[in-house]
Amino acid sequence: MAAPTIKLNNGKEMPSVGLGLWKLDNDIAADTIYEAIKQGYRLFDGACDYGNEVECGQGVARAIKDGLVTREELFITSKLWNSFHDPERVVPICKKQLQDWGLDYFDLYLIHFPISLVYVDPSVRYPPGWEDADGNHTLGKASVESTYHAMEQVYEQGLAKSIGISNYNAALIIDLLAYAKIKPQVLQIEHHPYLVQQPLVDLCQKNGIAITAYSSFGPQSFLELMDKAGKVPLLFEHPLIKGLAAKYGKNEGQVLLRWATQRGLAVIPKSKNAGRLRSNIDLNFDMTPEELAQVSSLDQGLRFNAPPNYGIDIPIFA
Ligand SMILES: NC(=O)c1ccc[n+]([C@@H]2O[C@H](COP(=O)([O-])OP(=O)(O)OC[C@H]3O[C@@H](n4cnc5c(N)ncnc54)[C@H](OP(=O)(O)O)[C@@H]3O)[C@@H](O)[C@H]2O)c1
């Protein structure tokens, strides 16, 4: 069953549940996307940095060829990596990413992080990751304003039907609203009960910017990357989350995802497992406002996806 949609500020509709593609291994990416489309997924959240855009595109192409879905029914997101922030690099790299996917347009193209790294030519390394050609973490010179204006060209040229930002804080968004000719349609942020970010959510909702939550399961996808993830109780084992799951006859993942969608956010859980794919999109139940508030009260301002947590000394959230 397809997920309900969220109306963006340009009139486009974005599914409220999609599949995250980070860490989806290349050898299973195409089959996982194909299976997800069969199960009703229409939104796919990719990025240059995930290194699997070619294989993801193959899954989409097979599903379209087999008549499971049309291109127009899909909502495909990709992201501009940090080393392509120089304004003259933005349109060309977006076109390369479209070619990798085998698409004419993205439904949404986001600035992945508000930080510019020095350019690495795709012929040297692709995706480049956080390192320059010599293996160092070297900042670039592009301001986020100059990069955003290049994103507006992506939009105006029809390479993306919507554009947006990711990992921006409130100050950056307030600044962006002062210079944007095209208001961003979407902000994508880390968001789970340990990192609720209510003032940021309020700011975006007041300004008509839709929010997509990533890492909805909190520590789960960071267990292999960092020690800190292991030092807080897993959300799947938290008594409050377990209690709600039991009350509604759902699993803990569904409770965490539904908490976010009831707050008006879209979610993009990643799973390579057919059963978890099925349950993650099956969010047809409502918790009470009191229960939503109880889940929100687990907030600890605890962020997992900060570069210093995985050995990169660029403290963008400090
Ligand atoms: N903009 C950004 O900077 C940014 C950063 C991080 C993520 N993202 C996007 O957000 C997506 C989701 O975030 P994420 O990948 O960090 O993590 P996530 O979706 O919160 O968690 C994924 C992990 O949880 C497991 N899982 C999935 N469904 C489950 C369920 N129902 N019960 C138990 N375990 C479950 C997955 O394993 P299995 O695969 O084995 O099920 C995987 O290990 C990413 O894939 C990416 O598209 C964006």
Side-chain angles (χ1 to χ4, degrees), residues 1-307:
M1 193 181 67
T5 58
I6 293 175
K7 205 178 192 90
L8 305 180
N9 65 28
N10 59 357
K12 305 278 181 209
E13 305 270 348
M14 178 173 78
S16 59
V17 186
L19 178 66
L21 304 177
W22 181 36
K23 294 196 279 182
L24 192 59
D25 292 338
N26 298 62
D27 57 336
I28 58 164
D31 286 345
T32 306
I33 292 215
Y34 190 88
E35 173 65 25
I37 289 174
K38 272 212 276 195
Q39 293 198 14
Y41 283 80
R42 295 294 176 261
L43 187 159
F44 294 94
D45 184 79
C48 152
D49 190 49
Y50 303 161
N52 56 11
E53 295 200 285
V54 169
E55 293 81 2
C56 291
Q58 289 166 352
V60 164
R62 182 148 41 100
I64 292 175
K65 182 162 153 284
D66 290 356
L68 299 187
V69 77
T70 63
R71 169 66 186 97
E72 295 68 36
E73 289 168 323
L74 294 172
F75 189 103
I76 296 180
T77 301
S78 189
K79 308 187 190 86
L80 175 78
W81 185 243
N82 310 335
S83 54
F84 303 111
H85 275 214
D86 295 329
E88 69 278 12
R89 305 278 181 205
V90 175
V91 163
I93 199 67
C94 179
K95 285 183 177 166
K96 180 208 167 357
Q97 291 178 252
L98 283 169
Q99 204 173 17
D100 285 352
W101 274 92
L103 298 175
D104 299 329
Y105 65 89
F106 289 124
D107 294 278
L108 178 64
Y109 195 58
L110 303 172
I111 296 179
H112 204 146
F113 284 96
I115 181 149
S116 160
L117 293 176
V118 77
Y119 176 69
V120 178
D121 194 273
S123 66
V124 173
R125 196 174 57 247
Y126 191 86
W130 290 87
E131 283 79 35
D132 65 15
D134 299 320
N136 300 314
H137 304 140
T138 310
L139 297 176
K141 297 274 186 219
S143 70
V144 280
E145 176 173 355
S146 69
T147 304
Y148 190 77
H149 288 316
M151 292 289 285
E152 292 175 322
Q153 288 174 24
V154 165
Y155 186 90
E156 280 161 358
Q157 292 182 25
L159 302 174
K161 305 280 183 200
S162 298
I163 53 172
I165 52 186
S166 181
N167 298 304
Y168 273 48
N169 66 14
L172 284 170
I173 292 170
I174 291 166
D175 190 46
L176 184 153
L177 290 172
Y179 60 72
K181 284 181 285 168
I182 299 164
K183 200 198 260 198
Q185 276 74 53
V186 175
L187 166 71
Q188 187 175 119
I189 49 168
E190 179 175 343
H191 172 275
H192 43 72
Y194 294 144
L195 185 67
V196 176
Q197 309 202 67
Q198 193 59 50
L200 183 59
V201 170
D202 292 343
L203 176 79
C204 288
Q205 291 182 338
K206 218 183 298 164
N207 282 284
I209 302 170
I211 301 183
T212 301
Y214 73 70
S215 301
S216 296
F217 304 139
Q220 206 65 27
S221 79
F222 295 90
L223 297 177
E224 69 216 53
L225 291 180
M226 53 183 282
D227 289 346
K228 198 164 148 199
K231 292 189 185 131
V232 288
L234 289 183
L235 282 163
F236 289 131
E237 287 165 15
H238 197 286
L240 174 63
I241 307 299
K242 286 180 86 73
L244 289 168
K247 173 176 170 185
Y248 288 100
K250 299 287 174 184
N251 64 41
E252 290 74 14
Q254 289 168 309
V255 168
L256 293 168
L257 295 169
R258 186 62 183 130
W259 166 76
T261 61
Q262 279 194 251
R263 283 163 51 75
L265 280 64
V267 290
I268 44 171
K270 174 264 172 185
S271 184
K272 60 180 181 329
N273 171 282
R276 292 192 283 277
L277 277 176
R278 197 169 307 116
S279 75
N280 288 347
I281 201 173
D282 174 18
L283 304 181
N284 193 14
F285 67 107
D286 290 328
M287 291 177 275
T288 67
E290 294 73 28
E291 289 166 343
L292 298 178
Q294 280 175 345
V295 177
S296 299
S297 75
L298 301 181
D299 192 15
Q300 302 179 24
L302 186 57
R303 184 185 299 280
F304 296 104
N305 190 24

Side-chain angles (χ1 to χ4, degrees), residues 113 115 130 303-317:
F113 284 96
I115 181 149
W130 290 87
R303 184 185 299 280
F304 296 104
N305 190 24
N309 287 350
Y310 37 88
I312 294 158
D313 188 21
I314 306 177
I316 54 176
F317 297 108

